């Protein structure tokens, strides 16, 4: 696809708004989830979609890639999938007498890891270095991934047969975990009477490219977070580590992710400063999958408890 390089902030903002609008036209009735997905992408994070089949998880991933002119690869995770199937493999070439690295599908702009929890922990771990550092190491050689690099992973919480739960280290690499849920009656009627989603995806026009995405990310770093706001964020982190029903609380990496996401959410909301409401809007999708309950409690419930118990200073 050809590069789309906005020259001015107002052009950049208008194209960002157009990108969000066209994704909302494909994924009907989910404006909050779309805004959260854009927040995750612009903040430089990775997205975990956990929901039943058929509610639009793959559609969202395709729409994001198309709107930002990102190269797209989809990998269906299965129990027999090998790390080399994702990362790539070095092949010996008789003509040159050397090994040549053949990149796998991870060398892309947006990777859809479909049903990620059906792969073995060994294969799941193949994504760790890529998601954390934007690179992979094969046979002692480090290979940089294209930038920006974004992982959207899906998993079905209801179908547990033949799955391997994601380890804490893997979950911590995902900035946000979302559930799209079923559409409301109006959105579902529009789906039933409207065009096929595949036809709509084919009609999407790139509104931004990698350079525009990088510019947006840099702009989020200029969003102001006051000392009082940081006090509130730190109070939430501290409370998660002292809560009687939480065995493992939020790490400093989670705190940095929450701050970056809040700055991005504020920018998408048209503000130059972060409000406590931004932290509250993001806290459950950012924290719930990172919290390790002490006695079988639900991570979402615990995250909401923390929000209710920690007062805004």
């Amino acid at each position: 696809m050809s590069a789309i390089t906005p020259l001015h902030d107002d052009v950049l903002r208008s194209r960002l708004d157009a990108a969000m609008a066209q994704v909302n036209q494909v994924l009907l009735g989910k404006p909050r989830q779309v805004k959260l997905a854009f927040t995750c992408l612009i903040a430089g994070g990775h997205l975990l979609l956990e929901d039943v089949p058929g509610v639009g998880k793959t559609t969202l991933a395709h729409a994001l890639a198309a709107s930002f002119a990102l190269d797209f690869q989809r990998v269906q995770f299965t129990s027999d999938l090998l790390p080399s199937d994702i990362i790539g493999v070095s092949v010996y070439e008789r003509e040159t007498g050397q090994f040549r690295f053949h990149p796998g599908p991870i060398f892309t702009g947006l990777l859809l890891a479909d049903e990620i929890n059906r792969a073995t922990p060994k294969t799941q771990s193949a994504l760790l270095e890529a998601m954390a550092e934007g690179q992979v190491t094969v046979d002692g050689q480090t290979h940089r991934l294209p930038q920006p690099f974004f992982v959207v992973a899906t998993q079905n919480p209801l179908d547990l047969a033949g799955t391997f739960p994601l380890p804490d280290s893997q979950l911590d690499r995902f900035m946000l975990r979302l559930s799209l849920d079923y559409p409301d009656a109006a959105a579902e009627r529009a789906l039933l009477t409207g065009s096929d989603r595949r036809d709509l995806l084919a009609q999407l026009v790139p509104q931004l490219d990698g350079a525009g995405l990088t510019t947006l990310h840099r702009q989020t770093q200029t969003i102001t977070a006051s000392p009082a706001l940081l006090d509130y964020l730190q109070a939430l982190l501290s409370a998660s580590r002292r809560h009687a029903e939480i065995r493992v609380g939020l790490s400093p990496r989670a705190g940095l992710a929450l701050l970056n996401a809040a700055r991005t959410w504020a920018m998408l909301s048209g503000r130059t400063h972060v409000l406590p409401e931004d932290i509250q809007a993001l806290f459950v999708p950012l924290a719930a999958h990172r919290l390790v309950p002490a006695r079988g409690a639900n991570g979402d419930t615990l995250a909401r408890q923390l929000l209710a118990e920690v007062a805004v200073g």
Side-chain angles (χ1 to χ4, degrees), residues 178-208:
L178 304 183
S179 174
L180 297 181
D181 206 354
Y182 295 111
D184 60 27
E188 190 163 33
R189 177 59 64 90
L191 283 170
L192 294 171
T193 58
S195 301
D196 188 281
R197 298 299 101 180
R198 289 169 294 186
D199 294 336
L200 292 179
L201 285 172
Q203 298 169 13
L204 293 184
V205 178
Q207 301 295 336
L208 291 160

Side-chain angles (χ1 to χ4, degrees):
M1 297 181 181
S2 59
I4 305 170
T5 307
L7 300 178
H8 305 288
D9 287 349
D10 56 343
V11 176
L12 186 66
R13 181 68 205 203
S14 66
R15 289 182 175 173
L16 175 60
D17 292 341
M20 293 186 68
Q22 72 174 9
V23 174
N24 276 307
Q25 289 174 359
V26 175
L27 195 71
L28 297 177
K30 304 296 178 184
R32 182 175 181 274
Q33 288 90 334
V34 169
K35 185 177 179 181
L36 285 168
F38 271 70
T39 296
C40 189
L41 177 60
I42 295 170
H46 304 286
L47 182 64
L48 179 61
L49 299 174
E50 185 178 80
D51 217 323
V52 296
V55 293
K57 300 187 295 295
T58 302
T59 299
L60 174 58
H62 275 285
L64 288 172
S67 296
F68 284 94
L70 296 173
D71 291 334
F72 179 87
Q73 292 284 346
R74 175 179 178 175
V75 177
Q76 188 68 42
F77 278 58
T78 57
S79 59
D80 59 350
L81 190 72
L82 299 175
S84 58
D85 294 329
I86 303 170
I87 296 174
V89 63
S90 294
V91 177
Y92 180 76
E93 295 183 335
R94 181 179 299 176
E95 295 80 4
T96 62
Q98 296 179 335
F99 284 90
R100 180 183 176 187
F101 178 65
H102 292 255
I106 201 170
F107 286 83
T108 188
L110 191 150
L111 175 70
L112 174 59
D114 208 7
E115 293 188 300
I116 187 174
N117 56 336
R118 289 197 176 278
T120 62
K122 181 178 181 179
T123 301
Q124 291 176 13
S125 67
L127 290 173
L128 288 176
E129 181 184 12
M131 294 173 69
E133 302 176 37
Q135 65 183 35
V136 296
T137 302
V138 181
D139 298 330
Q141 296 293 320
T142 298
H143 305 272
R144 297 293 302 176
L145 295 173
Q147 294 299 319
F149 171 69
F150 188 52
V151 174
V152 175
T154 71
Q155 63 175 355
N156 182 355
L158 300 182
D159 186 5
L160 300 179
T163 61
F164 301 86
L166 298 181
D168 297 340
S169 59
Q170 182 77 67
L171 288 171
D172 195 38
R173 296 305 196 276
F174 290 102
M175 176 176 279
L176 299 179
R177 185 194 67 179
L178 304 183
S179 174
L180 297 181
D181 206 354
Y182 295 111
D184 60 27
E188 190 163 33
R189 177 59 64 90
L191 283 170
L192 294 171
T193 58
S195 301
D196 188 281
R197 298 299 101 180
R198 289 169 294 186
D199 294 336
L200 292 179
L201 285 172
Q203 298 169 13
L204 293 184
V205 178
Q207 301 295 336
L208 291 160
D209 61 359
L213 193 55
T214 299
T215 301
L216 287 170
H217 178 68
R218 289 173 179 167
Q219 286 186 359
T220 64
Q221 304 307 301
T222 67
I223 302 297
T224 302
S226 67
L229 189 283
L230 293 177
D231 288 342
Y232 177 53
L233 189 154
Q234 283 190 285
L236 286 168
L237 298 178
S238 179
S240 75
R241 299 162 189 166
R242 294 182 285 102
H243 199 284
E245 296 185 39
I246 299 175
R247 181 163 56 86
V248 179
L250 298 175
S251 67
R253 177 162 54 197
L256 288 170
L258 181 55
L259 179 59
N260 287 333
R263 282 178 163 145
T264 306
W265 186 268
M267 184 196 72
L268 291 176
S269 302
R271 285 182 276 102
T272 58
H273 58 281
V274 182
L275 297 175
E277 288 83 351
D278 301 323
I279 298 290
Q280 294 163 355
L282 292 160
F283 190 71
V284 174
L286 186 139
H289 63 287
R290 289 179 164 94
L291 298 173
V292 180
R295 292 185 294 273
N298 180 273
D300 292 73
T301 300
L302 292 173
R304 291 189 178 91
Q305 286 181 9
L306 289 171
L307 280 178
E309 294 170 4
V310 177
V312 178

